[in-house]
PDB file of all heavy atoms in Angstrom:
ATOM      1  N   GLU M 355      10.965  35.922   8.173  1.00  0.00           N
ATOM      2  CA  GLU M 355      11.665  36.169   6.906  1.00  0.00           C
ATOM      3  C   GLU M 355      11.436  37.592   6.424  1.00  0.00           C
ATOM      4  O   GLU M 355      12.347  38.257   5.913  1.00  0.00           O
ATOM      5  CB  GLU M 355      11.187  35.171   5.849  1.00  0.00           C
ATOM      6  CG  GLU M 355      11.714  33.761   6.046  1.00  0.00           C
ATOM      7  CD  GLU M 355      11.171  32.797   4.994  1.00  0.00           C
ATOM      8  OE1 GLU M 355      10.530  33.277   4.025  1.00  0.00           O
ATOM      9  OE2 GLU M 355      11.396  31.585   5.133  1.00  0.00           O
ATOM     10  N   CYS M 356      10.203  38.072   6.587  1.00  0.00           N
ATOM     11  CA  CYS M 356       9.872  39.442   6.184  1.00  0.00           C
ATOM     12  C   CYS M 356      10.678  40.455   6.989  1.00  0.00           C
ATOM     13  O   CYS M 356      11.269  41.397   6.429  1.00  0.00           O
ATOM     14  CB  CYS M 356       8.378  39.676   6.344  1.00  0.00           C
ATOM     15  SG  CYS M 356       7.847  41.339   5.907  1.00  0.00           S
ATOM     16  N   LEU M 357      10.749  40.266   8.305  1.00  0.00           N
ATOM     17  CA  LEU M 357      11.476  41.203   9.158  1.00  0.00           C
ATOM     18  C   LEU M 357      12.975  41.147   8.884  1.00  0.00           C
ATOM     19  O   LEU M 357      13.666  42.180   8.933  1.00  0.00           O
ATOM     20  CB  LEU M 357      11.190  40.892  10.625  1.00  0.00           C
ATOM     21  CG  LEU M 357       9.792  41.290  11.097  1.00  0.00           C
ATOM     22  CD1 LEU M 357       9.510  40.725  12.484  1.00  0.00           C
ATOM     23  CD2 LEU M 357       9.640  42.810  11.102  1.00  0.00           C
ATOM     24  N   THR M 358      13.489  39.980   8.594  1.00  0.00           N
ATOM     25  CA  THR M 358      14.906  39.860   8.240  1.00  0.00           C
ATOM     26  C   THR M 358      15.209  40.643   6.970  1.00  0.00           C
ATOM     27  O   THR M 358      16.221  41.353   6.871  1.00  0.00           O
ATOM     28  CB  THR M 358      15.279  38.378   8.054  1.00  0.00           C
ATOM     29  OG1 THR M 358      15.045  37.673   9.277  1.00  0.00           O
ATOM     30  CG2 THR M 358      16.748  38.239   7.674  1.00  0.00           C
ATOM     31  N   ALA M 359      14.302  40.529   5.986  1.00  0.00           N
ATOM     32  CA  ALA M 359      14.486  41.272   4.733  1.00  0.00           C
ATOM     33  C   ALA M 359      14.391  42.777   4.964  1.00  0.00           C
ATOM     34  O   ALA M 359      15.119  43.566   4.347  1.00  0.00           O
ATOM     35  CB  ALA M 359      13.435  40.819   3.714  1.00  0.00           C
ATOM     36  N   ILE M 360      13.499  43.210   5.865  1.00  0.00           N
ATOM     37  CA  ILE M 360      13.353  44.636   6.170  1.00  0.00           C
ATOM     38  C   ILE M 360      14.605  45.169   6.856  1.00  0.00           C
ATOM     39  O   ILE M 360      15.112  46.263   6.526  1.00  0.00           O
ATOM     40  CB  ILE M 360      12.101  44.860   7.040  1.00  0.00           C
ATOM     41  CG1 ILE M 360      10.834  44.668   6.199  1.00  0.00           C
ATOM     42  CG2 ILE M 360      12.110  46.245   7.663  1.00  0.00           C
ATOM     43  CD1 ILE M 360       9.544  44.674   6.991  1.00  0.00           C
ATOM     44  N   ARG M 361      15.153  44.413   7.791  1.00  0.00           N
ATOM     45  CA  ARG M 361      16.384  44.847   8.479  1.00  0.00           C
ATOM     46  C   ARG M 361      17.563  44.907   7.512  1.00  0.00           C
ATOM     47  O   ARG M 361      18.458  45.747   7.658  1.00  0.00           O
ATOM     48  CB  ARG M 361      16.710  43.910   9.643  1.00  0.00           C
ATOM     49  CG  ARG M 361      15.696  43.983  10.776  1.00  0.00           C
ATOM     50  CD  ARG M 361      16.129  43.168  11.992  1.00  0.00           C
ATOM     51  NE  ARG M 361      17.054  43.897  12.845  1.00  0.00           N
ATOM     52  CZ  ARG M 361      18.273  43.501  13.153  1.00  0.00           C
ATOM     53  NH1 ARG M 361      18.761  42.389  12.658  1.00  0.00           N
ATOM     54  NH2 ARG M 361      19.036  44.220  13.954  1.00  0.00           N
ATOM     55  N   ALA M 362      17.530  44.016   6.501  1.00  0.00           N
ATOM     56  CA  ALA M 362      18.598  44.036   5.492  1.00  0.00           C
ATOM     57  C   ALA M 362      18.581  45.321   4.671  1.00  0.00           C
ATOM     58  O   ALA M 362      19.606  45.716   4.092  1.00  0.00           O
ATOM     59  CB  ALA M 362      18.464  42.824   4.570  1.00  0.00           C
ATOM     60  N   LEU M 363      17.436  46.006   4.634  1.00  0.00           N
ATOM     61  CA  LEU M 363      17.349  47.292   3.929  1.00  0.00           C
ATOM     62  C   LEU M 363      18.017  48.412   4.712  1.00  0.00           C
ATOM     63  O   LEU M 363      18.232  49.508   4.181  1.00  0.00           O
ATOM     64  CB  LEU M 363      15.882  47.663   3.700  1.00  0.00           C
ATOM     65  CG  LEU M 363      15.044  46.749   2.807  1.00  0.00           C
ATOM     66  CD1 LEU M 363      13.577  47.170   2.859  1.00  0.00           C
ATOM     67  CD2 LEU M 363      15.560  46.788   1.373  1.00  0.00           C
ATOM     68  N   GLY M 364      18.318  48.155   6.009  1.00  0.00           N
ATOM     69  CA  GLY M 364      18.846  49.188   6.887  1.00  0.00           C
ATOM     70  C   GLY M 364      17.790  49.791   7.784  1.00  0.00           C
ATOM     71  O   GLY M 364      18.054  50.754   8.511  1.00  0.00           O
ATOM     72  N   VAL M 365      16.596  49.235   7.750  1.00  0.00           N
ATOM     73  CA  VAL M 365      15.484  49.701   8.582  1.00  0.00           C
ATOM     74  C   VAL M 365      15.570  49.016   9.949  1.00  0.00           C
ATOM     75  O   VAL M 365      15.845  47.813  10.035  1.00  0.00           O
ATOM     76  CB  VAL M 365      14.136  49.378   7.903  1.00  0.00           C
ATOM     77  CG1 VAL M 365      12.964  49.747   8.806  1.00  0.00           C
ATOM     78  CG2 VAL M 365      14.025  50.096   6.568  1.00  0.00           C
ATOM     79  N   SER M 366      15.334  49.775  11.021  1.00  0.00           N
ATOM     80  CA  SER M 366      15.387  49.183  12.357  1.00  0.00           C
ATOM     81  C   SER M 366      14.031  48.595  12.728  1.00  0.00           C
ATOM     82  O   SER M 366      12.996  48.941  12.158  1.00  0.00           O
ATOM     83  CB  SER M 366      15.821  50.219  13.399  1.00  0.00           C
ATOM     84  OG  SER M 366      14.919  51.307  13.419  1.00  0.00           O
ATOM     85  N   VAL M 367      14.048  47.678  13.707  1.00  0.00           N
ATOM     86  CA  VAL M 367      12.837  46.990  14.151  1.00  0.00           C
ATOM     87  C   VAL M 367      12.713  47.134  15.670  1.00  0.00           C
ATOM     88  O   VAL M 367      13.684  46.894  16.399  1.00  0.00           O
ATOM     89  CB  VAL M 367      12.859  45.501  13.763  1.00  0.00           C
ATOM     90  CG1 VAL M 367      11.681  44.763  14.383  1.00  0.00           C
ATOM     91  CG2 VAL M 367      12.846  45.339  12.252  1.00  0.00           C
ATOM     92  N   ALA M 368      11.519  47.522  16.116  1.00  0.00           N
ATOM     93  CA  ALA M 368      11.254  47.671  17.545  1.00  0.00           C
ATOM     94  C   ALA M 368      10.153  46.708  17.966  1.00  0.00           C
ATOM     95  O   ALA M 368       9.191  46.484  17.223  1.00  0.00           O
ATOM     96  CB  ALA M 368      10.830  49.103  17.864  1.00  0.00           C
ATOM     97  N   LEU M 369      10.294  46.151  19.173  1.00  0.00           N
ATOM     98  CA  LEU M 369       9.245  45.326  19.761  1.00  0.00           C
ATOM     99  C   LEU M 369       8.377  46.217  20.637  1.00  0.00           C
ATOM    100  O   LEU M 369       8.828  46.708  21.677  1.00  0.00           O
ATOM    101  CB  LEU M 369       9.856  44.187  20.578  1.00  0.00           C
ATOM    102  CG  LEU M 369      10.644  43.140  19.783  1.00  0.00           C
ATOM    103  CD1 LEU M 369      11.255  42.111  20.729  1.00  0.00           C
ATOM    104  CD2 LEU M 369       9.755  42.458  18.767  1.00  0.00           C
ATOM    105  N   ASP M 370       7.147  46.445  20.202  1.00  0.00           N
ATOM    106  CA  ASP M 370       6.242  47.361  20.884  1.00  0.00           C
ATOM    107  C   ASP M 370       5.542  46.659  22.049  1.00  0.00           C
ATOM    108  O   ASP M 370       5.422  45.436  22.072  1.00  0.00           O
ATOM    109  CB  ASP M 370       5.212  47.871  19.874  1.00  0.00           C
ATOM    110  CG  ASP M 370       4.516  49.139  20.333  1.00  0.00           C
ATOM    111  OD1 ASP M 370       4.993  49.745  21.306  1.00  0.00           O
ATOM    112  OD2 ASP M 370       3.509  49.517  19.709  1.00  0.00           O
ATOM    113  N   ASP M 371       5.084  47.453  23.005  1.00  0.00           N
ATOM    114  CA  ASP M 371       4.305  46.953  24.147  1.00  0.00           C
ATOM    115  C   ASP M 371       5.038  45.842  24.888  1.00  0.00           C
ATOM    116  O   ASP M 371       4.414  44.883  25.366  1.00  0.00           O
ATOM    117  CB  ASP M 371       2.941  46.435  23.691  1.00  0.00           C
ATOM    118  CG  ASP M 371       2.086  47.542  23.090  1.00  0.00           C
ATOM    119  OD1 ASP M 371       2.123  48.655  23.623  1.00  0.00           O
ATOM    120  OD2 ASP M 371       1.391  47.276  22.091  1.00  0.00           O
ATOM    121  N   PHE M 372       6.338  45.947  25.020  1.00  0.00           N
ATOM    122  CA  PHE M 372       7.100  44.879  25.670  1.00  0.00           C
ATOM    123  C   PHE M 372       6.716  44.804  27.141  1.00  0.00           C
ATOM    124  O   PHE M 372       6.592  45.802  27.836  1.00  0.00           O
ATOM    125  CB  PHE M 372       8.605  45.137  25.542  1.00  0.00           C
ATOM    126  CG  PHE M 372       9.437  43.919  25.800  1.00  0.00           C
ATOM    127  CD1 PHE M 372       9.708  43.013  24.790  1.00  0.00           C
ATOM    128  CD2 PHE M 372       9.925  43.658  27.068  1.00  0.00           C
ATOM    129  CE1 PHE M 372      10.464  41.879  25.026  1.00  0.00           C
ATOM    130  CE2 PHE M 372      10.676  42.520  27.317  1.00  0.00           C
ATOM    131  CZ  PHE M 372      10.937  41.627  26.291  1.00  0.00           C
ATOM    132  N   GLY M 373       6.512  43.558  27.597  1.00  0.00           N
ATOM    133  CA  GLY M 373       6.096  43.339  28.978  1.00  0.00           C
ATOM    134  C   GLY M 373       4.599  43.387  29.160  1.00  0.00           C
ATOM    135  O   GLY M 373       4.097  43.214  30.263  1.00  0.00           O
ATOM    136  N   VAL M 374       3.872  43.623  28.059  1.00  0.00           N
ATOM    137  CA  VAL M 374       2.408  43.687  28.113  1.00  0.00           C
ATOM    138  C   VAL M 374       1.869  42.724  27.065  1.00  0.00           C
ATOM    139  O   VAL M 374       2.294  42.735  25.917  1.00  0.00           O
ATOM    140  CB  VAL M 374       1.886  45.112  27.827  1.00  0.00           C
ATOM    141  CG1 VAL M 374       0.363  45.143  27.874  1.00  0.00           C
ATOM    142  CG2 VAL M 374       2.488  46.100  28.799  1.00  0.00           C
ATOM    143  N   GLY M 375       0.901  41.890  27.438  1.00  0.00           N
ATOM    144  CA  GLY M 375       0.281  40.995  26.456  1.00  0.00           C
ATOM    145  C   GLY M 375       1.260  39.972  25.937  1.00  0.00           C
ATOM    146  O   GLY M 375       2.016  39.352  26.682  1.00  0.00           O
ATOM    147  N   GLY M 376       1.321  39.822  24.626  1.00  0.00           N
ATOM    148  CA  GLY M 376       2.083  38.721  24.030  1.00  0.00           C
ATOM    149  C   GLY M 376       3.549  39.020  23.807  1.00  0.00           C
ATOM    150  O   GLY M 376       4.324  38.133  23.514  1.00  0.00           O
ATOM    151  N   SER M 377       3.961  40.308  23.876  1.00  0.00           N
ATOM    152  CA  SER M 377       5.359  40.630  23.599  1.00  0.00           C
ATOM    153  C   SER M 377       6.204  40.215  24.786  1.00  0.00           C
ATOM    154  O   SER M 377       6.045  40.719  25.884  1.00  0.00           O
ATOM    155  CB  SER M 377       5.497  42.124  23.339  1.00  0.00           C
ATOM    156  OG  SER M 377       6.811  42.436  22.944  1.00  0.00           O
ATOM    157  N   ALA M 378       7.137  39.295  24.580  1.00  0.00           N
ATOM    158  CA  ALA M 378       7.882  38.739  25.700  1.00  0.00           C
ATOM    159  C   ALA M 378       9.264  38.298  25.252  1.00  0.00           C
ATOM    160  O   ALA M 378       9.706  38.586  24.144  1.00  0.00           O
ATOM    161  CB  ALA M 378       7.106  37.564  26.307  1.00  0.00           C
ATOM    162  N   LEU M 379       9.926  37.582  26.165  1.00  0.00           N
ATOM    163  CA  LEU M 379      11.304  37.175  25.910  1.00  0.00           C
ATOM    164  C   LEU M 379      11.422  36.289  24.670  1.00  0.00           C
ATOM    165  O   LEU M 379      12.443  36.311  23.989  1.00  0.00           O
ATOM    166  CB  LEU M 379      11.860  36.440  27.134  1.00  0.00           C
ATOM    167  CG  LEU M 379      11.949  37.270  28.417  1.00  0.00           C
ATOM    168  CD1 LEU M 379      12.446  36.404  29.561  1.00  0.00           C
ATOM    169  CD2 LEU M 379      12.860  38.464  28.218  1.00  0.00           C
ATOM    170  N   ALA M 380      10.378  35.507  24.384  1.00  0.00           N
ATOM    171  CA  ALA M 380      10.438  34.635  23.208  1.00  0.00           C
ATOM    172  C   ALA M 380      10.618  35.444  21.929  1.00  0.00           C
ATOM    173  O   ALA M 380      11.282  35.000  20.984  1.00  0.00           O
ATOM    174  CB  ALA M 380       9.156  33.799  23.116  1.00  0.00           C
ATOM    175  N   HIS M 381      10.053  36.640  21.880  1.00  0.00           N
ATOM    176  CA  HIS M 381      10.226  37.496  20.704  1.00  0.00           C
ATOM    177  C   HIS M 381      11.670  37.959  20.576  1.00  0.00           C
ATOM    178  O   HIS M 381      12.203  38.062  19.469  1.00  0.00           O
ATOM    179  CB  HIS M 381       9.303  38.703  20.796  1.00  0.00           C
ATOM    180  CG  HIS M 381       7.868  38.358  20.502  1.00  0.00           C
ATOM    181  ND1 HIS M 381       6.859  39.291  20.527  1.00  0.00           N
ATOM    182  CD2 HIS M 381       7.273  37.181  20.181  1.00  0.00           C
ATOM    183  CE1 HIS M 381       5.714  38.708  20.228  1.00  0.00           C
ATOM    184  NE2 HIS M 381       5.943  37.429  20.027  1.00  0.00           N
ATOM    185  N   LEU M 382      12.283  38.273  21.715  1.00  0.00           N
ATOM    186  CA  LEU M 382      13.692  38.675  21.683  1.00  0.00           C
ATOM    187  C   LEU M 382      14.570  37.556  21.146  1.00  0.00           C
ATOM    188  O   LEU M 382      15.539  37.791  20.418  1.00  0.00           O
ATOM    189  CB  LEU M 382      14.161  39.048  23.086  1.00  0.00           C
ATOM    190  CG  LEU M 382      13.873  40.474  23.579  1.00  0.00           C
ATOM    191  CD1 LEU M 382      14.428  40.636  24.972  1.00  0.00           C
ATOM    192  CD2 LEU M 382      14.467  41.490  22.633  1.00  0.00           C
ATOM    193  N   HIS M 383      14.212  36.334  21.525  1.00  0.00           N
ATOM    194  CA  HIS M 383      14.995  35.191  21.068  1.00  0.00           C
ATOM    195  C   HIS M 383      14.751  34.920  19.586  1.00  0.00           C
ATOM    196  O   HIS M 383      15.665  34.553  18.849  1.00  0.00           O
ATOM    197  CB  HIS M 383      14.628  33.961  21.896  1.00  0.00           C
ATOM    198  CG  HIS M 383      15.394  32.735  21.533  1.00  0.00           C
ATOM    199  ND1 HIS M 383      16.756  32.611  21.746  1.00  0.00           N
ATOM    200  CD2 HIS M 383      14.999  31.565  20.943  1.00  0.00           C
ATOM    201  CE1 HIS M 383      17.163  31.434  21.316  1.00  0.00           C
ATOM    202  NE2 HIS M 383      16.121  30.778  20.826  1.00  0.00           N
ATOM    203  N   ALA M 384      13.513  35.118  19.139  1.00  0.00           N
ATOM    204  CA  ALA M 384      13.168  34.820  17.749  1.00  0.00           C
ATOM    205  C   ALA M 384      13.701  35.864  16.786  1.00  0.00           C
ATOM    206  O   ALA M 384      14.059  35.550  15.647  1.00  0.00           O
ATOM    207  CB  ALA M 384      11.652  34.707  17.604  1.00  0.00           C
ATOM    208  N   LEU M 385      13.766  37.134  17.241  1.00  0.00           N
ATOM    209  CA  LEU M 385      14.098  38.219  16.322  1.00  0.00           C
ATOM    210  C   LEU M 385      15.168  39.129  16.926  1.00  0.00           C
ATOM    211  O   LEU M 385      15.003  39.625  18.041  1.00  0.00           O
ATOM    212  CB  LEU M 385      12.838  39.054  16.033  1.00  0.00           C
ATOM    213  CG  LEU M 385      13.048  40.285  15.170  1.00  0.00           C
ATOM    214  CD1 LEU M 385      13.290  39.873  13.721  1.00  0.00           C
ATOM    215  CD2 LEU M 385      11.838  41.214  15.255  1.00  0.00           C
ATOM    216  N   PRO M 386      16.250  39.394  16.196  1.00  0.00           N
ATOM    217  CA  PRO M 386      17.253  40.367  16.669  1.00  0.00           C
ATOM    218  C   PRO M 386      16.683  41.780  16.556  1.00  0.00           C
ATOM    219  O   PRO M 386      16.807  42.433  15.519  1.00  0.00           O
ATOM    220  CB  PRO M 386      18.434  40.159  15.724  1.00  0.00           C
ATOM    221  CG  PRO M 386      18.148  38.900  14.969  1.00  0.00           C
ATOM    222  CD  PRO M 386      16.664  38.761  14.939  1.00  0.00           C
ATOM    223  N   ALA M 387      16.022  42.265  17.593  1.00  0.00           N
ATOM    224  CA  ALA M 387      15.392  43.586  17.560  1.00  0.00           C
ATOM    225  C   ALA M 387      16.426  44.666  17.829  1.00  0.00           C
ATOM    226  O   ALA M 387      17.464  44.446  18.455  1.00  0.00           O
ATOM    227  CB  ALA M 387      14.282  43.645  18.593  1.00  0.00           C
ATOM    228  N   ASP M 388      16.121  45.881  17.366  1.00  0.00           N
ATOM    229  CA  ASP M 388      16.981  47.030  17.603  1.00  0.00           C
ATOM    230  C   ASP M 388      16.522  47.838  18.808  1.00  0.00           C
ATOM    231  O   ASP M 388      17.311  48.582  19.397  1.00  0.00           O
ATOM    232  CB  ASP M 388      16.971  47.944  16.368  1.00  0.00           C
ATOM    233  CG  ASP M 388      17.438  47.213  15.121  1.00  0.00           C
ATOM    234  OD1 ASP M 388      18.642  46.959  15.006  1.00  0.00           O
ATOM    235  OD2 ASP M 388      16.583  46.885  14.268  1.00  0.00           O
ATOM    236  N   ARG M 389      15.234  47.692  19.144  1.00  0.00           N
ATOM    237  CA  ARG M 389      14.695  48.516  20.214  1.00  0.00           C
ATOM    238  C   ARG M 389      13.566  47.764  20.923  1.00  0.00           C
ATOM    239  O   ARG M 389      12.814  47.012  20.296  1.00  0.00           O
ATOM    240  CB  ARG M 389      14.149  49.822  19.644  1.00  0.00           C
ATOM    241  CG  ARG M 389      13.826  50.889  20.687  1.00  0.00           C
ATOM    242  CD  ARG M 389      13.336  52.179  20.004  1.00  0.00           C
ATOM    243  NE  ARG M 389      14.106  52.485  18.814  1.00  0.00           N
ATOM    244  CZ  ARG M 389      15.284  53.092  18.794  1.00  0.00           C
ATOM    245  NH1 ARG M 389      15.823  53.469  19.941  1.00  0.00           N
ATOM    246  NH2 ARG M 389      15.933  53.313  17.674  1.00  0.00           N
ATOM    247  N   ILE M 390      13.467  47.988  22.229  1.00  0.00           N
ATOM    248  CA  ILE M 390      12.340  47.502  23.020  1.00  0.00           C
ATOM    249  C   ILE M 390      11.555  48.720  23.485  1.00  0.00           C
ATOM    250  O   ILE M 390      12.127  49.676  24.028  1.00  0.00           O
ATOM    251  CB  ILE M 390      12.820  46.707  24.253  1.00  0.00           C
ATOM    252  CG1 ILE M 390      13.333  45.320  23.845  1.00  0.00           C
ATOM    253  CG2 ILE M 390      11.682  46.555  25.266  1.00  0.00           C
ATOM    254  CD1 ILE M 390      13.949  44.558  24.998  1.00  0.00           C
ATOM    255  N   LYS M 391      10.246  48.696  23.266  1.00  0.00           N
ATOM    256  CA  LYS M 391       9.380  49.764  23.762  1.00  0.00           C
ATOM    257  C   LYS M 391       8.573  49.203  24.930  1.00  0.00           C
ATOM    258  O   LYS M 391       7.716  48.344  24.752  1.00  0.00           O
ATOM    259  CB  LYS M 391       8.469  50.284  22.655  1.00  0.00           C
ATOM    260  CG  LYS M 391       9.234  50.860  21.464  1.00  0.00           C
ATOM    261  CD  LYS M 391       8.335  51.651  20.526  1.00  0.00           C
ATOM    262  CE  LYS M 391       7.973  53.001  21.107  1.00  0.00           C
ATOM    263  NZ  LYS M 391       7.238  53.848  20.146  1.00  0.00           N
ATOM    264  N   ILE M 392       8.893  49.685  26.115  1.00  0.00           N
ATOM    265  CA  ILE M 392       8.234  49.199  27.324  1.00  0.00           C
ATOM    266  C   ILE M 392       6.795  49.694  27.328  1.00  0.00           C
ATOM    267  O   ILE M 392       6.535  50.893  27.182  1.00  0.00           O
ATOM    268  CB  ILE M 392       8.980  49.679  28.578  1.00  0.00           C
ATOM    269  CG1 ILE M 392      10.432  49.164  28.554  1.00  0.00           C
ATOM    270  CG2 ILE M 392       8.265  49.206  29.844  1.00  0.00           C
ATOM    271  CD1 ILE M 392      11.330  49.809  29.598  1.00  0.00           C
ATOM    272  N   GLY M 393       5.844  48.766  27.475  1.00  0.00           N
ATOM    273  CA  GLY M 393       4.436  49.096  27.349  1.00  0.00           C
ATOM    274  C   GLY M 393       3.938  50.108  28.368  1.00  0.00           C
ATOM    275  O   GLY M 393       4.436  50.188  29.496  1.00  0.00           O
ATOM    276  N   ARG M 394       2.956  50.896  27.956  1.00  0.00           N
ATOM    277  CA  ARG M 394       2.397  51.966  28.778  1.00  0.00           C
ATOM    278  C   ARG M 394       1.966  51.486  30.166  1.00  0.00           C
ATOM    279  O   ARG M 394       2.339  52.111  31.176  1.00  0.00           O
ATOM    280  CB  ARG M 394       1.210  52.595  28.046  1.00  0.00           C
ATOM    281  CG  ARG M 394       0.487  53.672  28.838  1.00  0.00           C
ATOM    282  CD  ARG M 394      -0.850  54.018  28.173  1.00  0.00           C
ATOM    283  NE  ARG M 394      -0.673  54.369  26.788  1.00  0.00           N
ATOM    284  CZ  ARG M 394      -0.485  55.614  26.349  1.00  0.00           C
ATOM    285  NH1 ARG M 394      -0.463  56.602  27.214  1.00  0.00           N
ATOM    286  NH2 ARG M 394      -0.336  55.856  25.071  1.00  0.00           N
ATOM    287  N   PRO M 395       1.177  50.389  30.300  1.00  0.00           N
ATOM    288  CA  PRO M 395       0.733  49.995  31.651  1.00  0.00           C
ATOM    289  C   PRO M 395       1.895  49.699  32.591  1.00  0.00           C
ATOM    290  O   PRO M 395       1.861  50.086  33.770  1.00  0.00           O
ATOM    291  CB  PRO M 395      -0.110  48.740  31.384  1.00  0.00           C
ATOM    292  CG  PRO M 395      -0.538  48.857  29.958  1.00  0.00           C
ATOM    293  CD  PRO M 395       0.606  49.505  29.262  1.00  0.00           C
ATOM    294  N   LEU M 396       2.908  49.032  32.069  1.00  0.00           N
ATOM    295  CA  LEU M 396       4.041  48.668  32.919  1.00  0.00           C
ATOM    296  C   LEU M 396       4.835  49.905  33.313  1.00  0.00           C
ATOM    297  O   LEU M 396       5.224  50.072  34.480  1.00  0.00           O
ATOM    298  CB  LEU M 396       4.929  47.671  32.185  1.00  0.00           C
ATOM    299  CG  LEU M 396       5.998  46.948  33.006  1.00  0.00           C
ATOM    300  CD1 LEU M 396       5.365  46.186  34.158  1.00  0.00           C
ATOM    301  CD2 LEU M 396       6.777  45.982  32.102  1.00  0.00           C
ATOM    302  N   ALA M 397       5.069  50.802  32.368  1.00  0.00           N
ATOM    303  CA  ALA M 397       5.844  52.018  32.659  1.00  0.00           C
ATOM    304  C   ALA M 397       5.121  52.884  33.682  1.00  0.00           C
ATOM    305  O   ALA M 397       5.752  53.483  34.575  1.00  0.00           O
ATOM    306  CB  ALA M 397       6.086  52.797  31.376  1.00  0.00           C
ATOM    307  N   GLN M 398       3.794  52.972  33.591  1.00  0.00           N
ATOM    308  CA  GLN M 398       3.046  53.805  34.523  1.00  0.00           C
ATOM    309  C   GLN M 398       2.936  53.155  35.900  1.00  0.00           C
ATOM    310  O   GLN M 398       3.012  53.839  36.931  1.00  0.00           O
ATOM    311  CB  GLN M 398       1.657  54.092  33.954  1.00  0.00           C
ATOM    312  CG  GLN M 398       1.705  54.987  32.716  1.00  0.00           C
ATOM    313  CD  GLN M 398       0.324  55.299  32.174  1.00  0.00           C
ATOM    314  OE1 GLN M 398      -0.674  54.714  32.598  1.00  0.00           O
ATOM    315  NE2 GLN M 398       0.250  56.224  31.216  1.00  0.00           N
ATOM    316  N   ASP M 399       2.756  51.821  35.941  1.00  0.00           N
ATOM    317  CA  ASP M 399       2.652  51.133  37.235  1.00  0.00           C
ATOM    318  C   ASP M 399       3.958  51.194  38.022  1.00  0.00           C
ATOM    319  O   ASP M 399       3.941  51.098  39.260  1.00  0.00           O
ATOM    320  CB  ASP M 399       2.269  49.666  37.011  1.00  0.00           C
ATOM    321  CG  ASP M 399       0.814  49.507  36.592  1.00  0.00           C
ATOM    322  OD1 ASP M 399       0.074  50.498  36.647  1.00  0.00           O
ATOM    323  OD2 ASP M 399       0.435  48.386  36.189  1.00  0.00           O
ATOM    324  N   ALA M 400       5.072  51.320  37.307  1.00  0.00           N
ATOM    325  CA  ALA M 400       6.367  51.301  37.985  1.00  0.00           C
ATOM    326  C   ALA M 400       6.501  52.450  38.981  1.00  0.00           C
ATOM    327  O   ALA M 400       7.293  52.372  39.930  1.00  0.00           O
ATOM    328  CB  ALA M 400       7.499  51.364  36.954  1.00  0.00           C
ATOM    329  N   GLU M 401       5.738  53.520  38.809  1.00  0.00           N
ATOM    330  CA  GLU M 401       5.821  54.666  39.713  1.00  0.00           C
ATOM    331  C   GLU M 401       5.292  54.324  41.100  1.00  0.00           C
ATOM    332  O   GLU M 401       5.782  54.843  42.109  1.00  0.00           O
ATOM    333  CB  GLU M 401       5.037  55.833  39.125  1.00  0.00           C
ATOM    334  CG  GLU M 401       5.127  57.106  39.962  1.00  0.00           C
ATOM    335  CD  GLU M 401       4.322  58.243  39.365  1.00  0.00           C
ATOM    336  OE1 GLU M 401       3.661  58.034  38.306  1.00  0.00           O
ATOM    337  OE2 GLU M 401       4.333  59.341  39.940  1.00  0.00           O
TER     338      GLU M 401
END
């Protein structure tokens, strides 16, 4: 409810550390996010 009210102000919401720890697909389903931030360990391992 808090995040919905914040987005209603025109503020964007990003899911941080995506793919690391608890941030996962369930968050995408629960919240209409504006941005996904791919977590540092995953981005670095991809090399």
Side-chain angles (χ1 to χ4, degrees):
E355 286 178 9
C356 179
L357 287 170
T358 300
I360 288 172
R361 293 187 83 239
L363 296 172
V365 175
S366 59
V367 173
L369 294 177
D370 199 12
D371 297 321
F372 198 86
V374 179
S377 186
L379 297 177
H381 285 180
L382 276 181
H383 181 67
L385 176 73
D388 301 286
R389 192 178 319 278
I390 285 174
K391 300 193 75 173
I392 301 168
R394 177 193 306 268
L396 192 58
Q398 292 181 350
D399 287 351
E401 183 181 2

